[in-house]
Every structure is written in C-alpha cells, then in structure tokens.
C-alpha cells in the first residue's frame, strides 16, 4: 500500500504544539510531505487536574474547539471540542455524536475525498468509522495508556479491544505491546520508536554547546524528556547524585508534562542535579554535544513495562554512551548498557566514560542511522502491503 498521495485522518493523543514532540508528531509531519494529513488533537484521555498546565489546555481547547482546522507545519490540525470525562456513559455518548461531525466537517474543509485512511493513536477513534468510512484503519499503539495516571482504564481497555479488533493493521512501539495486541488481532507489527538521526548526529560535529549545559562541571550526565514521577525513578536519581557528587546530572525537559502533580523537590535538593527545562527539538544536539554520557532512569512499573523510549536512538545518533534501567523493551538493543540500582549505574557510567572517544561515538551514530523515520515509513509501507 502506497503512503503517497493519500488522504490521512490521524487521531492523536497529544496536541500538535505539545512541549515534547512524540512518535505521532514526527511521523505525521513526514507523511504530510506526500499526503493530505488532518491531525486531530488529543481527545483528553485523562481527567483534567486543577493545575496551570491543564487549565491552560482547557482554555485553549474551548477557544479552538469549533473552529475549522488550521494549517501548521505542512498539515492541518483540528482541535475538537470534546469532554474529557470518558468514564461517564452520557459523556461518551455526547462525544460520539460531536466528534464525527467535527472531523467530517474538517475533512471536507481540507479537500479530502471519500474514505480516507484512518490512522489513530487513540482507540476512541472508533466513533469515526461510520462518519469517515475509512479505506484502511491503522491503530498505532505507542504506550499502555490505560496504565497512565488519571486515565479511566476500564473504558479505555474496552474501546481498545473493539478498535484493535476491527483495525486492518496495528503498529506497536515495543514487543511487549505487540504481545498484548496479538491477543486482539492477527495483523500486528512491532515498530520500536526511532529518531531524527540526521539531526541528532549533528552533535558529533564541532559547534556550540547549550550555554546552561556548558557551564556545568564535568563529567555531565544528561537525560532528555518529560520529568514526571510516573516514569522517572526519582529515588534512583537522588542516590546516583549522592554517589557521584562531583558529577553533573542535567535533566532537560518540561516538569510534569502529562502528570501535573509530579513532585521534583527531592531532585531540587541535590546540588549536582540541574533541571534545565525544555528546549526546542532542533536545539537538542547542542545539549548532547556537551554531554559525557546519557541516562534513561525510568522506574519499573506497569506503564514503563511496555515503553520503548524515543530517546534511545536520539542518544545513540549523537554518539553518546547510554545507561538505562532494565526496561523489557531494551533487551538486545545494541549499545545500551542496563543497570538496576544507583551503585551499578554509577559504575557502568564510569566505565563507559573512561573508554569513550571519537571512534566509539561515530560507531554508535553509524548503527543508529538505520533507525530513522524515513526507514521506519518504508517498513510500515511494507507491512501494510502484506495485509492489503
């Protein structure tokens, strides 16, 4: 099946202007180069909390909720007015009427013909089947969303079982997710997260280092991503910082994205832990250029049991040595060293830094080059051909 010249309606799990670009942002922005893409922003998987971040999103959605789609980054973005209280049957029934009308109207507005391809990261897109009459339905399962804090797991699992069972193809971002999806469908392909390898390999070239990173004493250990307690092992980070007080640990990303109740006070109390905040995606090579090693310090829980972090190939494309907690999805991934506790993590980092150099960095980047978004799209096209 060709992924060129198609009308594609994508239902995401995030807003297009989210703090951190994810699989859906990278993939749809690339598909939009050769296709007419309508991106439907998050339907509000978790109930909003009383926080400045969530209240800001609610206000923005109310302002945009009935407006036509807007042109952004080569595609069209719809901010549908839906009520994020999916645990209530009456609310689900109301959304099931409102969402198809808004999406069908938006598809006509951007010049889509009948029967577009429906590519959804959210199984609640099942309500669009009658409205769009899609030619092909793809469920892109990137996380065990039902395990996320604040999500109504029962209603989500029920919708997922229905949607996955009716999809023509299911892509997952890890083998643990694929195992679960194969209980619902015979057409499942594990496609782990990849990276903009060309961008991140720029970290190997001479150039500027992010000013905040540059002023930290070395060695510098970096983490890039959302700083949230549901994913990060905060206790591990604290113990690691205390075990190596002469090292700098730089955490680069928004605090509380997806979990506004995140408490990072324990990290803030360590003098060698530095919360540098978010950076634009294209500025991340300047962060990694100044790092001695990278860290994936995820907690081991129901949510992370099926996660394949996007930062894996971003770090490796930048040439950095990487130590991660033993996530199931990372078994067998070349150049990733795992450690389960602070003492072992510190020892592995020390070994990697001592043996690192220009040649090992170039080799890691060379291996990562085969895990780009362009390669992944070719692999997805082949998988779709097999079930066409």
């Amino acid at each position: 099946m060709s992924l060129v010249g198609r009308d594609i309606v994508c239902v995401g799990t995030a807003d297009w202007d989210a703090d951190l670009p994810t699989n859906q942002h990278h993939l749809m922005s690339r598909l939009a180069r050769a296709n007419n893409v309508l991106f439907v922003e998050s339907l509000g998987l978790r109930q909003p909390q009383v926080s400045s971040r969530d209240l800001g999103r609610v206000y923005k959605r109310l302002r945009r909720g009935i407006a036509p789609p807007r042109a952004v980054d080569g595609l069209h973005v719809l901010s549908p007015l839906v009520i994020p209280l999916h645990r209530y049957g009456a609310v689900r029934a109301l959304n099931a009427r409102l969402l198809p009308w808004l999406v069908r109207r938006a598809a006509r507005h951007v010049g889509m013909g009948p029967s577009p391809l429906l590519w959804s990261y959210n199984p609640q897109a099942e309500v669009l089947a009658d409205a769009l009459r899609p030619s092909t339905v793809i469920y892109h399962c990137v996380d065990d969303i039902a395990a996320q804090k604040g999500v109504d797991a029962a209603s989500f699992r029920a919708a997922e079982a229905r949607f996955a069972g009716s999809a023509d193809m299911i892509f997952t971002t890890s083998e643990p997710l694929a195992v679960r999806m194969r209980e619902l469908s015979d057409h499942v392909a594990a496609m782990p997260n990849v990276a903009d390898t060309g961008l991140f390999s720029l970290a190997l070239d001479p150039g500027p280092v992010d000013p905040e990173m540059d002023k930290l004493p070395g060695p510098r250990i970096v983490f890039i991503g959302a700083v949230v307690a549901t994913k990060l092992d905060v206790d591990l980070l604290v113990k690691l910082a205390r075990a190596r007080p002469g090292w700098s640990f730089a955490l680069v990303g928004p605090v509380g994205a997806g979990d506004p109740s995140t408490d990072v006070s324990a990290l803030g109390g360590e003098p060698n832990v530095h919360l540098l905040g978010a950076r634009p995606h294209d500025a991340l090579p300047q962060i990694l250029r100044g790092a001695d090693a990278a860290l994936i310090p995820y907690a081991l829980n129901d949510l992370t049991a099926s996660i394949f972090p996007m930062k894996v190939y971003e770090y490796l494309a930048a040439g950095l040595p990487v130590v991660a907690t033993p996530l199931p999805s990372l078994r067998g991934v070349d150049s990733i060293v795992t450690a389960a506790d602070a003492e072992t993590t510190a020892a592995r980092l020390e070994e990697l830094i001592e043996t690192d150099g220009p040649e090992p960095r170039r080799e890691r980047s060379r291996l990562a080059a085969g895990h780009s978004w362009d390669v992944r799209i070719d692999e997805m096209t082949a998988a779709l051909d097999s079930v066409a």
Side-chain angles (χ1 to χ4, degrees):
M1 176 191 295
S2 173
L3 288 176
V4 174
R6 304 294 298 266
D7 291 328
I8 301 175
V9 174
C10 176
V11 181
T13 56
D15 291 346
W16 188 255
D17 57 358
D19 290 332
L20 291 173
T22 62
N23 181 300
Q24 56 206 292
H25 301 90
H26 291 293
L27 196 55
M28 289 303 136
S29 62
R30 284 164 176 78
L31 288 176
R33 296 169 186 170
N35 299 276
N36 185 15
V37 176
L38 173 65
F39 183 85
V40 182
E41 291 187 316
S42 170
L43 306 182
L45 290 169
R46 64 175 177 81
Q47 186 168 325
Q49 300 179 28
V50 181
S51 68
S52 58
R53 184 187 297 271
D54 277 8
L55 292 176
R57 290 186 65 197
V58 169
Y59 170 75
K60 184 169 62 177
R61 183 56 60 89
L62 289 172
R63 183 165 48 87
R64 294 175 172 173
I66 58 173
R70 60 195 187 277
V72 184
D73 300 329
L75 44 70
H76 306 279
V77 177
L78 177 70
S79 304
L81 186 61
V82 293
I83 304 171
L85 300 173
H86 303 288
R87 71 182 65 222
Y88 302 109
V91 172
R92 292 198 301 272
L94 177 60
N95 287 338
R97 288 179 174 273
L98 188 58
L99 183 64
W101 177 76
L102 289 169
V103 173
R104 188 170 55 238
R105 183 186 69 163
R108 288 197 303 265
H109 183 86
V110 302
M112 289 190 173
S115 302
L117 187 156
L118 177 60
W119 192 311
S120 186
Y121 291 79
N122 184 345
Q124 291 158 351
E126 62 178 337
V127 300
L128 298 176
D130 289 338
L132 296 177
R133 302 287 183 185
S135 58
T136 305
V137 176
I138 297 170
Y139 177 36
H140 205 146
C141 181
V142 297
D143 273 322
D144 186 2
I145 292 175
Q148 291 185 4
K149 185 176 180 179
V151 172
D152 177 33
S155 66
F156 186 90
R157 289 268 191 242
E160 185 174 63
R162 294 189 299 268
F163 190 66
S166 64
D168 297 292
M169 189 72 208
I170 300 175
F171 294 131
T172 72
T173 52
S174 71
E175 185 58 33
L177 286 174
V179 169
R180 186 163 63 82
M181 287 297 108
R182 289 184 186 118
E183 298 175 0
L184 305 174
S185 172
D186 294 328
H187 305 300
V188 179
M191 300 274 180
N193 278 321
V194 288
D196 186 343
T197 53
L199 171 68
F200 283 88
S201 67
L202 296 176
L204 293 172
D205 299 336
V209 173
D210 179 273
E212 292 297 307
M213 187 76 170
D214 198 30
K215 70 184 183 183
L216 300 179
R220 305 178 189 126
I221 315 301
V222 68
F223 166 82
I224 289 178
V227 182
V228 288
T230 47
K231 286 185 178 180
L232 290 189
D233 189 334
V234 174
D235 185 57
L236 172 70
L237 284 168
V238 169
K239 290 178 178 177
L240 187 57
R242 291 175 180 174
R244 294 295 185 274
W247 295 7
S248 294
F249 296 88
L251 309 184
V252 183
V255 175
D259 181 13
S261 64
T262 286
D263 181 5
V264 295
S265 57
L267 296 175
E270 300 302 317
N272 58 333
V273 175
H274 307 274
L275 297 168
L276 300 188
R279 295 292 189 277
H281 186 69
D282 59 5
L284 293 178
Q286 296 183 28
I287 287 281
L288 300 180
R289 186 178 286 131
D292 294 283
L295 197 59
I296 305 177
Y298 278 9
L300 302 179
N301 55 38
D302 289 344
L303 176 60
T304 62
S306 55
I307 278 179
F308 188 98
M310 194 172 301
K311 56 189 63 61
V312 168
Y313 290 115
E314 293 175 346
Y315 289 160
L316 294 177
L320 291 178
V322 184
V323 177
T325 47
L327 301 174
S329 63
L330 297 183
R331 290 176 189 141
V333 177
D334 290 339
S335 301
I336 298 293
V337 175
T338 59
D341 56 60
E343 182 180 351
T344 309
T345 299
R348 297 292 87 81
L349 285 168
E350 208 156 41
E351 292 166 4
L352 288 168
I353 292 170
E354 288 176 356
T355 58
D356 195 27
E359 186 53 38
R361 290 201 172 202
R362 281 193 294 268
E363 179 62 12
R364 293 185 198 104
S365 188
R366 186 188 67 79
L367 292 172
H371 300 274
S372 69
W373 289 108
D374 290 336
V375 170
R376 179 61 80 237
I377 289 173
D378 288 343
E379 292 168 344
M380 288 176 165
T381 300
L384 289 168
D385 282 341
S386 70
V387 298

